[in-house]
Amino acid sequence: MPTYSIAELAREFDITARAIRFYEDHGLLAPSREGAGGRSRVYTARDRTRLKLTLRGKRLGLTLSEIKSIVDMYESPKDTVAQMHRFLGVLAHQRETLEQQRDDIDMALAEVAAHEEQCRRMLAEATTPADGRAAP
């Protein structure tokens, strides 16, 4: 079974070793230790998969606790139907959150556009004298 160093995983997933250690601290990864005093972390294919799923969850905007719950779910063969229902619930909640964020962004962009238009009008009025001639 292949193993990976922290540097190899960091390079593969384009993240820092510090980020990998952070995920380890939160229980998402559990490398074995080798070398003098156990200083070298050795990651298995399982750890690599968990890291990949963790990064995918982060891209979806899930919290680390949600990610851990989902990733841990896949390691338990029992209650698969219940696990899938839980996962669907997490995804539905995330969809609602993202849709609300999209609505908020759309409203903010509309406000920015309105302010830009107002500023352009005010600039045009400020550069045109009252007698209608172009300003010097």
Side-chain angles (χ1 to χ4, degrees), residues 1-10 12-13 31-32 34 40-49 51:
M1 180 170 278
T3 60
Y4 309 89
S5 70
I6 195 168
E8 289 170 327
L9 289 178
E12 178 181 352
F13 292 103
S32 60
E34 290 182 356
S40 298
R41 291 170 166 85
V42 178
Y43 296 89
T44 63
R46 173 188 174 270
D47 291 311
R48 183 185 171 280
T49 299
L51 178 58

Side-chain angles (χ1 to χ4, degrees), residues 13-34:
F13 292 103
D14 195 27
I15 58 174
T16 64
R18 184 175 182 185
I20 294 173
R21 288 190 298 272
F22 176 79
Y23 295 138
E24 183 182 335
D25 290 343
H26 283 79
L28 290 156
L29 306 173
S32 60
R33 302 292 186 132
E34 290 182 356

Side-chain angles (χ1 to χ4, degrees), residues 3-133:
T3 60
Y4 309 89
S5 70
I6 195 168
E8 289 170 327
L9 289 178
R11 198 170 29 256
E12 178 181 352
F13 292 103
D14 195 27
I15 58 174
T16 64
R18 184 175 182 185
I20 294 173
R21 288 190 298 272
F22 176 79
Y23 295 138
E24 183 182 335
D25 290 343
H26 283 79
L28 290 156
L29 306 173
S32 60
R33 302 292 186 132
E34 290 182 356
R39 290 177 43 105
S40 298
R41 291 170 166 85
V42 178
Y43 296 89
T44 63
R46 173 188 174 270
D47 291 311
R48 183 185 171 280
T49 299
R50 288 178 68 94
L51 178 58
K52 185 176 185 178
L53 292 171
T54 297
L55 295 173
R56 187 174 295 155
K58 290 302 292 175
R59 279 193 306 275
L60 288 172
L62 301 176
T63 66
L64 286 180
S65 62
E66 289 171 325
I67 293 168
K68 184 169 180 351
S69 174
I70 292 167
V71 171
D72 288 347
M73 194 169 45
Y74 284 102
E75 295 192 357
S76 172
K78 58 185 183 233
D79 300 324
T80 305
V81 172
Q83 291 170 348
M84 290 297 109
H85 283 295
R86 164 117 172 74
F87 186 39
L88 284 172
V90 168
L91 291 174
H93 179 265
Q94 189 59 24
R95 176 183 295 281
E96 289 174 19
T97 300
L98 291 171
E99 287 174 351
Q100 181 60 55
Q101 289 173 345
R102 181 174 48 199
D103 290 344
D104 293 343
I105 289 169
D106 288 343
M107 285 192 318
L109 288 171
E111 288 178 24
V112 167
H115 289 298
E116 287 174 332
E117 182 57 33
Q118 181 181 12
C119 285
R120 285 187 183 98
R121 270 195 317 271
M122 292 171 72
L123 280 171
E125 290 170 7
T127 58
T128 305
D131 62 7
R133 291 183 293 159

